[in-house]
Amino acid sequence: MSAEGTVSRQAPGKLFVSGEYAVIEPGTPAIVMAVDRYVRVTVSEPAGADIVIVSDLLDGEARFRLKAGGGLVWCGLGDGERARSGLACVLSVIEVMHTQLAERGWSVSGAHLSISSELHDRGTKFGLGSSGAVTVATVAALAAYHGLDLSPEARFRLALIATARLNTRSSCADLAASTWGGWIAYRAPDRAAVLATAARKGIDEAVRAEWPGFEVRRLPPPARLGMEIGWTGTPVSTDSLVSRLGRRHWQGSTAHKRFMARMTDCVHTSITALEKGDRETLLHGIRRSRRALAELDEAVGLGIFTPKLTALCEAAEVLGGAAKPSGAGGGDCGIALMPAEADARIGKLRTRWATAGVRHLPLRPAEISTSERNVRNDR
């Protein structure tokens, strides 16, 4: 195996359409959409260290030395812990892929990674899944650099293993959107079980293994509806909110069971509406999804609905659309589906958002060319 010169790969960000929080549980469906802002990772030969990483979200270079078995040791100047924290996703990918190469008996070479992102505004993240996008882009770029011919599903599986090593509560829906693009229905595997397989049998075997509960299915875009995206200007840590939910002893409660049933039904209804081109049923499904999140917020007190997100939703409802927070809430983005022919109402919506302090983001679905249409757990 030899490095393949300089290679670049990019991956799009994402927005949740429906299924937030419920999708954390294996086999529970959600709808996500890839958006046309990207993270790009360029890999080339390193100089001065085994692994050198430069990112537009970091000051200076991060330098690491490779350990036997795929680990990384900080060898740069400055605060190594801060660099590790900011690059956690990238470093996890490097360690997972180097472990995989070692399992195959391939030599492991160093690499210089340069990372640039369109998913932030001068360092403030939009909430478009930047962690997932950089993870997927890093897997793709390192695979190309090391001469690995990986299918989209294999790249996704490596990205999920790298993510689950950091947090098994991450649904990894963002990874699916960044890998396959467009509108997709997603169900997560049991990430702890995947890690257990990797620990027992190795990364290669875990990538090839059956993943019960896992499914990715392409969906058509909404018929006769436009997607409007608003940004509150307040970045939020999804991991922090999900972790807070876990500390509220919510699992197994009556409120938990009710939320899971309602949100799952909302997602199934919305998937069917998308596949049939049923505009009114899809709008109804988005409204029901918003109500399910509001009931979760009331029961657990996560702070999903901020004043700006509430104003974003109400403005769309008044004008005949359907809206909800996208993702964990607490800030970041909200989405609104509006009748495509209602140009005047869309203009009014953006004006009302601006008055409420919500910034309109001109985003479109990001399509990725791939022959893999649907992926199920039965391999």
Side-chain angles (χ1 to χ4, degrees):
M1 180 206 70
S2 61
E4 298 293 321
T6 299
V7 297
S8 291
R9 295 293 186 271
Q10 66 179 20
K14 70 88 182 69
L15 284 166
F16 261 98
V17 177
S18 186
E20 295 91 339
Y21 289 102
V23 71
I24 295 168
E25 299 193 16
T28 305
I31 303 171
V32 288
M33 179 188 82
V35 297
D36 61 347
R37 290 205 182 189
Y38 299 86
V39 172
R40 175 172 288 273
V41 177
T42 300
V43 183
S44 58
E45 293 184 8
D50 294 330
I51 299 293
V52 181
I53 305 173
V54 179
S55 168
D56 57 5
L57 289 177
L58 286 179
D59 295 328
E61 294 181 336
R63 293 172 173 266
F64 299 88
R65 186 178 71 254
L66 288 170
K67 292 194 303 182
L72 297 169
V73 177
W74 172 257
C75 62
L77 300 175
D79 188 347
E81 288 306 310
R82 181 181 178 188
R84 278 188 173 278
S85 176
L87 295 169
C89 297
V90 175
L91 297 178
S92 187
V93 169
I94 293 170
E95 291 174 347
V96 165
M97 295 192 71
H98 282 177
T99 300
Q100 181 191 42
L101 293 173
E103 289 173 359
R104 296 183 177 190
W106 292 15
S107 61
V108 176
S109 60
H112 180 286
L113 287 79
S114 178
I115 302 168
S116 61
S117 174
E118 300 173 345
L119 305 183
H120 64 88
D121 181 14
R122 289 171 290 183
T124 302
K125 294 181 179 180
F126 290 120
L128 298 174
S130 58
S131 295
V134 74
T135 299
V136 169
T138 301
V139 169
L142 282 175
Y145 180 72
H146 289 299
L148 286 170
D149 184 16
L150 300 178
S151 68
E153 184 180 356
R155 295 199 303 271
F156 167 82
R157 286 173 173 245
L158 284 168
L160 183 141
I161 291 170
T163 300
R165 289 172 76 242
L166 301 174
N167 180 13
T168 56
R169 293 288 286 168
S170 172
S171 73
C172 299
D174 52 353
L175 305 178
S178 293
T179 299
W180 281 279
W183 287 66
I184 64 170
Y186 170 77
R187 292 192 294 132
D190 185 328
R191 283 79 72 199
V194 170
L195 288 184
T197 299
R200 289 196 317 270
K201 300 181 178 180
I203 301 295
D204 250 352
E205 183 61 31
V207 168
R208 292 193 297 266
E210 206 172 286
W211 285 9
F214 170 51
E215 182 182 14
V216 173
R217 186 163 89 249
R218 290 290 189 94
L219 296 172
R224 298 172 291 119
L225 287 170
M227 174 75 84
E228 295 291 306
I229 296 105
W231 181 48
T232 65
T234 303
V236 176
S237 167
T238 297
D239 288 349
S240 175
L241 283 171
V242 171
S243 176
R244 194 187 309 168
L245 178 63
R247 294 194 297 268
R248 301 295 170 87
H249 305 292
W250 184 61
Q251 197 85 11
S253 67
T254 300
H256 167 247
K257 294 174 183 177
R258 182 169 59 246
F259 169 76
M260 292 297 297
R262 290 182 178 177
M263 184 60 86
T264 299
D265 185 58
C266 290
V267 174
H268 282 309
T269 297
S270 297
I271 289 172
T272 300
L274 283 165
E275 291 176 334
K276 292 184 176 181
D278 185 342
R279 181 170 84 172
E280 294 307 315
T281 298
L282 178 58
L283 290 172
H284 182 58
I286 296 300
R287 294 183 185 112
R288 289 177 59 214
S289 179
R290 176 192 172 192
R291 288 197 293 271
L293 287 173
E295 289 170 5
L296 168 63
D297 209 12
E298 183 177 351
V300 186
L302 290 178
I304 295 172
F305 283 85
T306 66
K308 286 185 180 181
L309 283 173
T310 299
L312 180 153
C313 295
E314 291 176 349
E317 294 288 346
V318 167
L319 295 168
K324 57 180 285 296
S326 176
D332 283 341
C333 292
I335 60 170
L337 287 174
M338 301 291 293
E341 69 277 6
D343 290 343
R345 279 183 281 174
I346 291 173
K348 290 179 180 178
L349 175 70
R350 294 178 184 177
T351 298
R352 293 189 181 202
W353 280 1
T355 301
V358 175
R359 174 177 163 185
H360 171 253
L361 297 180
L363 302 176
R364 296 177 180 273
E367 297 294 339
I368 298 174
S369 177
T370 171
S371 60
E372 293 188 9
R373 304 303 298 177
N374 300 324
V375 177
R376 297 187 63 86
N377 58 331
D378 47 345
R379 294 171 59 76

